[in-house]
Amino acid sequence: MKLKDIGEHEFIKRYIKNYVDIKLLDDVFIHEKRGYKVDGFKLSYTFPFMSLYDIGWKAISASTSDIIAKGVKPEFYLISLGLPPDFDVNKAEELIKGISDAIHYYGGRYIGGDLNDSDSSGWVDVFVEGEVLCDISNKDIDDGDLLVVGDYIGYTTNVFISYINNFNIQILPESLLKVKHPIVRKSLLFFMKKYCKFIKYSTDISDGLMVSLYKIIDNFDLGINITEIPIDKNVFNTLKLRLNLTELDILKYAGEEFLPLLIIDKNSPVKEMLNELQYLAFNPLIIGQVIHEKKAVIYKNTFIKNTGWDNFIGWY
């Protein structure tokens, strides 16, 4: 059996969990008011319209999205690069400039890392550490607690689906920008610090909404009833018109949204919190609530399977 036969997520559950020294695997490790995150990808994970500067920026935004969504203020970044020996020096510097600019945009410090040779297209790994401003660990999640996503999704899906259709599908300008130069809203940290006592769990949805929802289900042994799939109307209409895709079809090709997904107390000042997020440039949506009797995602009384991006399988 090979990794491509079971996929990244299943390999983590079946094997990696047997060896790590903690019970709960999450995107960010929290310990004594510090948060730690590592993330990375191959340099070939790109599109023709992206420069190496864009790739460097995106690598930092991806790891920063995870750590900010956990209520951690990013402070220190270590970067490990693998580049082939014949890689152009000026292009390598362009990649590093994108990395450096993004780190400083998010208020962190680029303190070093590692440089290796690579026999492939190359890769970039990002380690980030920071201060916990809102500790959401060890909170009980109850029936009726609300799921809130930071904004509409689907923009990156627009690009991914166009890519697998030889770019014959229209890419909306906002979709292009979100893939080329994603920006994580640092203002979420202000919100999480202010309303920390009402936030029971948080993550980002970089691997796709369904992947993130099923991580919650696996970690906390609960179910989720979805009342709204927050796909942007323009994206949905574009893909439905050309390919006759449904909402669930679009979710399959999701990923790299870099948006927060929060579980908030059902007894919290919900309207006030949503208004605060709007003030901080989010467009928050309540997409469902927690249920405990069924350990799955349910939408319109139908069980929805886990679907999204896997590094060994691709979109599944």
Side-chain angles (χ1 to χ4, degrees), residues 68-170:
I68 284 180
K70 287 297 182 187
V72 178
K73 177 185 177 182
E75 293 179 333
F76 303 109
Y77 289 79
L78 292 165
I79 313 301
S80 180
L81 293 174
L83 301 174
D86 60 353
F87 204 82
D88 184 87
V89 171
N90 291 329
K91 290 184 177 180
E93 185 179 15
E94 182 184 356
L95 173 66
I96 294 168
K97 184 171 180 6
I99 288 169
S100 176
D101 283 356
I103 289 173
H104 295 135
Y105 173 81
Y106 293 120
R109 295 177 63 193
Y110 185 0
I111 60 170
D114 190 25
L115 181 62
N116 300 275
D117 67 339
S118 170
D119 57 5
S120 61
S121 62
W123 43 263
V124 53
D125 286 332
V126 176
F127 171 82
V128 56
E129 176 189 356
E131 177 190 3
V132 175
L133 300 183
C134 173
D135 187 354
I136 58 171
S137 58
N138 302 316
K139 290 189 177 183
D140 293 327
I141 301 175
D142 301 316
D143 279 344
D145 286 340
L146 302 173
L147 278 88
V148 175
V149 67
D151 211 328
Y152 286 98
I153 63 175
Y155 302 104
T156 56
T157 308
N158 178 197
V159 177
F160 298 152
I161 290 179
S162 183
Y163 164 73
I164 62 177
N165 284 275
N166 297 315
F167 292 108
N168 290 320
I169 306 299
Q170 178 191 4

Side-chain angles (χ1 to χ4, degrees), residues 13-286:
K13 288 192 288 186
R14 288 194 206 177
Y15 298 97
I16 292 181
K17 277 191 172 182
N18 296 328
Y19 295 92
V20 296
D21 296 321
I22 55 175
K23 292 183 179 179
L24 179 63
L25 277 184
D26 213 338
D27 293 330
V28 176
F29 176 62
I30 306 294
H31 180 65
E32 296 182 350
K33 301 299 181 181
R34 303 296 294 175
Y36 307 87
K37 168 68 183 179
V38 65
D39 200 1
F41 53 79
K42 296 188 296 184
L43 296 183
S44 60
Y45 282 169
T46 185
F47 295 101
F49 52 78
M50 292 180 66
S51 68
L52 283 163
Y53 179 93
D54 297 329
I55 295 171
W57 181 283
K58 180 178 177 180
I60 299 303
S61 291
S63 58
T64 302
S65 176
D66 280 320
I67 207 162
I68 284 180
K70 287 297 182 187
V72 178
K73 177 185 177 182
E75 293 179 333
F76 303 109
Y77 289 79
L78 292 165
I79 313 301
S80 180
L81 293 174
L83 301 174
D86 60 353
F87 204 82
D88 184 87
V89 171
N90 291 329
K91 290 184 177 180
E93 185 179 15
E94 182 184 356
L95 173 66
I96 294 168
K97 184 171 180 6
I99 288 169
S100 176
D101 283 356
I103 289 173
H104 295 135
Y105 173 81
Y106 293 120
R109 295 177 63 193
Y110 185 0
I111 60 170
D114 190 25
L115 181 62
N116 300 275
D117 67 339
S118 170
D119 57 5
S120 61
S121 62
W123 43 263
V124 53
D125 286 332
V126 176
F127 171 82
V128 56
E129 176 189 356
E131 177 190 3
V132 175
L133 300 183
C134 173
D135 187 354
I136 58 171
S137 58
N138 302 316
K139 290 189 177 183
D140 293 327
I141 301 175
D142 301 316
D143 279 344
D145 286 340
L146 302 173
L147 278 88
V148 175
V149 67
D151 211 328
Y152 286 98
I153 63 175
Y155 302 104
T156 56
T157 308
N158 178 197
V159 177
F160 298 152
I161 290 179
S162 183
Y163 164 73
I164 62 177
N165 284 275
N166 297 315
F167 292 108
N168 290 320
I169 306 299
Q170 178 191 4
I171 297 178
L172 301 176
E174 189 169 1
S175 299
L176 185 70
L177 187 59
K178 286 182 180 293
V179 169
K180 182 178 173 64
H181 195 81
I183 293 177
V184 179
R185 298 185 183 103
K186 299 179 290 183
S187 56
L188 181 67
L189 291 171
F190 173 84
F191 171 83
M192 293 189 70
K193 185 176 182 179
K194 182 175 180 178
Y195 293 100
C196 189
K197 67 180 180 180
F198 299 115
I199 301 171
K200 295 191 172 182
Y201 182 77
S202 63
T203 186
D204 88 332
I205 52 174
S206 55
D207 290 327
L209 177 61
M210 297 306 298
V211 172
S212 296
L213 292 178
Y214 269 96
K215 281 183 181 178
I216 295 172
I217 289 170
D218 291 340
N219 283 336
F220 298 102
D221 195 31
L222 49 76
I224 294 170
N225 182 52
I226 295 298
T227 54
E228 178 181 0
I229 296 178
I231 298 172
D232 176 79
K233 180 176 66 175
N234 292 330
V235 170
F236 180 73
N237 289 338
T238 296
L239 297 177
K240 182 175 176 60
L241 178 65
R242 287 296 308 273
L243 300 173
N244 198 30
L245 297 182
T246 67
E247 292 174 314
L248 298 181
D249 292 330
I250 293 173
L251 284 182
K252 175 180 178 178
Y253 297 99
E256 298 185 0
E257 302 283 354
F258 304 142
L259 287 169
L261 174 65
L262 310 173
I263 298 180
I264 64 173
D265 193 321
K266 60 187 173 185
N267 297 314
S268 62
V270 177
K271 185 175 180 180
E272 176 186 324
M273 293 173 72
L274 296 181
N275 286 340
E276 185 77 25
L277 282 170
Q278 287 182 324
Y279 175 76
L280 297 173
F282 289 90
N283 189 16
L285 302 148
I286 298 174

Side-chain angles (χ1 to χ4, degrees), residues 300-311:
K300 295 181 178 179
N301 297 316
T302 301
F303 288 90
I304 308 301
K305 70 176 184 177
N306 194 356
T307 184
W309 173 257
D310 185 291
N311 282 317

